[in-house]
Amino acid sequence: MTHVTFVLRYEEVRVTTVADTLVLDSVRTFVSTDKRLLIGGEWVAAASGRTFPTYDPATGERITEVAHGDATDIDRAVAAARRAFEGPWSRFTPSQRQSLLWKVGDALLARAEEFGQLESIDNGKSAAIAQAVDVVWSANVFHYYAGWATKIEGRTITPSVPWLPGSEWHAYTLREPVGVCGQIVPWNFPLLMATWKIAPALATGNTVVLKPAEQTPLTALLLGEIFCELGFPAGVVNIVTGFGDAGAALAAHDDVDKIAFTGSTEVGKKIVGAARGNLKKVSLELGGKSPNIVFADADLESAIAGSANAWLFNHGQCCVAGTRLFVEDSIFEEFTQGVAEFASQVKVGPGLDPTSQLGPLVSQEQLDRVTGYLDQGRADGARALTGGRRIGDTGYYVEPTVLVDVRDDMSVVREEIFGPVVAALPFSAADGPVADANNSEFGLAAGIWTRDISRAHRLAKQLKAGSVWINSYNAFDAAIPFGGYKQSGWGRELGEAALDLYTQTKAINVQL
Ligand code: NAP
Ligand code: MG
């Protein structure tokens, strides 16, 4: 590989303002009114009458007011979900559920630009990327689980019952819905995370109370309009916007049968505690600090682009972000410079600007958190090959940052930063840095770049991670199970695996 000269280009990054005319009329209309809660098929104010603002991370300006739901509203939503579960939804046939879910996928595709823009305004991410990735993928998830609705099957079993000689038996299993599912989602992929949870829950016949993140409630509410328009019975999907206390009330609620959570490991542990009261089923998708391992024999051009995107995609606000970059020592310098060069050329700007590749972080809180880690890294002796600071003073923009001269005990190497920051570490072991890569409380994902296929498969088995990508990163599909080892979570979403989260098995034993 030719040596790549490293150029610092941040002085050139221009944070442009976006022409107002870019915003669709439908998006304008949607945000022109205060947003309400969806409970029992009605759009209602919070019982307290309170609202809270949601902000555009590109400007810090208020977009609209959203109902501030609390424990009282969670109570109302759970009651509505219970009525729908015991009532009309239980009478829907699998093929009726299939056809409704398929229509949700179609509606998302038909309104992809609108959803993409709304996601961009609320979260900061590029509208073009949101449309092409978040929305298309969300539609794909609904289409995928539509297919499963008609394929949920039990088994027939022939029991022996040896202590009842001469008896004859027939047994079979049913896979039944769990019931009322509480679902709590984060702000990094607001629509997509809601979709990953709602689609398998409905395919299997459950009802839902969704609590979106306070920073990004809007696309879930737009999705709620689709459920109403398509004629889902009232109460099948309920949406309560609000803060952590609403999530806590949902996790603790005695009439909720299952809680599914995506977010920080810290809150994940609180969910486990809250679920104790009625021992509701719990599934968790939590944090990560994923290793991405590059051998000297890799296709370096694709490894550089892939390794940069591993931690840059969605501004590093990905639970799977490949933020510990292990590079074989013989190529460490040229490879990390290549990644730094790639990162420094990424166009940072407002999400509505079609040329932006990277937008602002989601909030002032995240900006403070990420720049706090950068300050700590500097104080600990880490050196930035590129980046390291905030960009400008409007919006929450951070420079893509490649850190070298890092040690295993630094917070920038151990903790989830959730920003566009990678820590690069050299390794020399012929078969890869297995022990170092596994030296983390997390175990969500990992990447391996090499042309040696045997080595790649051997290493993939040794890594303690729920997803391993070989010669790629961030490759997802609705059909592939996803979830974490160690403190990265409980259970697997997506694929057939998610059906296990949303069904329970009943064994029926018949003496003939
Ligand atoms: P978070 O607090 O874990 O938020 C995730 C969701 O949980 C939000 O809907 C949140 O509501 C809700 N929540 C908060 N406290 C709760 C409680 N006690 N009981 C039930 N639900 C509760 O995440 P964050 O504060 O937004 O972000 C902090 C850090 O978490 C990030 O910097 C990142 O490291 C990590 N994170 C990870 C993921 C992931 O996909 N693994 C996603 C987001 C964040 P509110 O929005 O009202 O707080
Ligand atoms: Mg929080």
Side-chain angles (χ1 to χ4, degrees):
M1 185 192 135
T2 49
H3 188 79
V4 186
T5 324
F6 164 62
V7 204
L8 186 68
R9 291 164 53 102
Y10 279 101
E11 284 70 11
E12 296 167 31
V13 171
R14 221 164 22 94
V15 177
T16 45
T17 47
V18 173
D20 228 21
T21 48
L22 273 177
V23 181
L24 293 171
D25 285 344
S26 51
V27 173
R28 260 181 230 284
T29 308
F30 184 78
V31 300
S32 68
T33 54
D34 287 5
K35 305 323 299 173
R36 301 181 143 210
L37 314 173
L38 178 58
I39 296 180
E42 306 283 337
W43 292 99
V44 297
S48 68
R50 287 186 303 165
T51 64
F52 67 98
T54 181
Y55 298 99
D56 179 349
T59 59
E61 282 167 20
R62 182 182 151 290
I63 306 168
T64 187
E65 290 288 315
V66 179
H68 184 151
D70 61 18
T72 310
D73 304 295
I74 291 289
D75 263 345
R76 296 153 75 196
V78 170
R82 176 61 60 194
R83 283 193 299 275
F85 179 73
E86 306 292 351
W89 192 231
S90 67
R91 292 187 288 275
F92 268 61
T93 63
S95 79
Q96 286 173 319
R97 295 202 304 270
Q98 168 178 278
S99 116
L100 269 181
L101 288 182
W102 189 270
K103 286 180 192 162
V104 178
D106 285 350
L108 281 166
L109 289 181
R111 297 167 68 173
E113 194 180 0
E114 186 183 349
F115 272 95
Q117 281 199 358
L118 191 63
E119 198 75 305
S120 173
I121 293 168
D122 211 14
N123 165 282
K125 64 176 73 190
S126 147
I129 295 174
Q131 184 181 338
V133 180
D134 301 48
V135 184
V136 168
W137 186 4
S138 295
N140 179 239
V141 169
F142 272 102
H143 286 149
Y144 174 82
Y145 283 107
W148 270 115
T150 49
K151 293 158 199 75
I152 297 157
E153 297 171 349
R155 309 174 69 173
T156 59
I157 301 160
T158 308
S160 303
V161 200
W163 49 89
L164 292 176
S167 66
E168 205 184 335
W169 296 83
H170 163 61
Y172 61 97
T173 60
L174 294 177
R175 296 188 74 181
E176 297 185 332
V178 177
V180 173
C181 300
Q183 305 186 321
I184 302 173
V185 293
W187 44 259
N188 53 345
F189 293 91
L191 175 70
L192 187 63
M193 291 301 101
T195 297
W196 280 22
K197 291 190 169 24
I198 294 173
L202 299 189
T204 44
N206 300 276
T207 57
V208 165
V209 177
L210 179 79
K211 209 299 273 176
E214 79 205 36
Q215 298 87 347
T216 55
L218 297 180
T219 46
L221 296 171
L222 190 58
L223 181 64
E225 290 191 353
I226 288 181
F227 288 113
C228 296
E229 285 162 16
L230 290 177
F232 279 80
V236 170
V237 176
N238 306 274
I239 305 174
V240 179
T241 48
F243 290 76
D245 61 304
L250 187 58
H253 203 289
D254 278 340
D255 202 31
V256 170
D257 301 298
K258 181 204 160 48
I259 191 91
F261 171 79
T262 298
S264 60
T265 293
E266 185 194 343
V267 174
K269 290 177 183 175
K270 292 187 187 167
I271 300 284
V272 171
R276 239 177 36 185
N278 70 341
L279 286 179
K280 58 177 65 66
K281 316 289 181 249
V282 178
S283 55
L284 305 167
E285 299 287 357
L286 308 176
K289 190 74 184 178
S290 296
N292 182 36
I293 302 165
V294 183
F295 290 90
D297 71 349
D299 172 344
L300 294 185
E301 204 179 319
S302 65
I304 285 175
S307 299
N309 281 315
W311 55 273
L312 273 174
F313 182 65
N314 211 43
H315 331 148
Q317 300 170 142
C318 292
C319 48
V320 293
T323 47
R324 289 184 297 144
L325 177 61
F326 291 94
V327 184
E328 194 168 339
D329 47 12
S330 61
I331 59 160
F332 185 79
E333 203 170 320
E334 64 171 327
F335 191 86
T336 49
Q337 290 210 356
V339 171
E341 163 86 350
F342 186 101
S344 70
Q345 291 183 358
V346 163
K347 169 98 191 315
V348 184
L352 287 179
D353 179 341
T355 66
S356 295
Q357 295 166 301
L358 224 60
L361 299 181
V362 72
S363 62
Q364 179 71 46
E365 189 185 350
Q366 280 303 115
L367 177 69
D368 294 344
R369 181 185 163 98
V370 173
T371 52
Y373 273 110
L374 291 173
D375 292 343
Q376 186 61 48
R378 249 191 306 275
D380 292 344
R383 180 166 58 93
L385 277 187
T386 185
R389 296 181 194 283
R390 181 180 185 183
I391 303 173
D393 50 16
T394 307
Y396 314 123
Y397 297 93
V398 172
E399 296 171 346
T401 302
V402 178
L403 298 176
V404 293
D405 298 346
V406 295
R407 291 182 320 271
D408 236 8
D409 60 346
M410 292 183 183
S411 62
V412 289
V413 175
R414 303 216 64 79
E415 295 170 23
E416 183 171 54
I417 298 176
F418 237 59
V421 183
V422 71
L425 302 118
F427 71 88
S428 57
D431 275 334
V434 177
D436 287 338
N438 285 336
N439 179 14
S440 168
E441 69 195 32
F442 301 114
L444 196 55
I448 302 169
W449 300 82
T450 175
R451 286 192 170 97
D452 180 339
I453 286 304
S454 299
R455 170 158 70 190
H457 286 289
R458 204 178 311 125
L459 184 53
K461 279 171 72 174
Q462 291 169 309
L463 292 172
K464 295 194 190 327
S467 297
V468 178
W469 292 294
I470 296 173
N471 294 328
S472 72
Y473 207 93
N474 278 334
F476 281 93
D477 189 273
I480 303 286
F482 174 76
Y485 280 42
K486 298 193 263 184
Q487 293 191 37
S488 289
W490 288 354
R492 295 292 176 271
E493 295 192 308
L494 298 181
E496 188 177 358
L499 305 180
D500 293 338
L501 302 182
Y502 291 101
T503 57
Q504 47 195 346
T505 299
K506 177 181 284 173
I508 297 173
N509 309 280
V510 189
Q511 183 162 17
L512 299 178

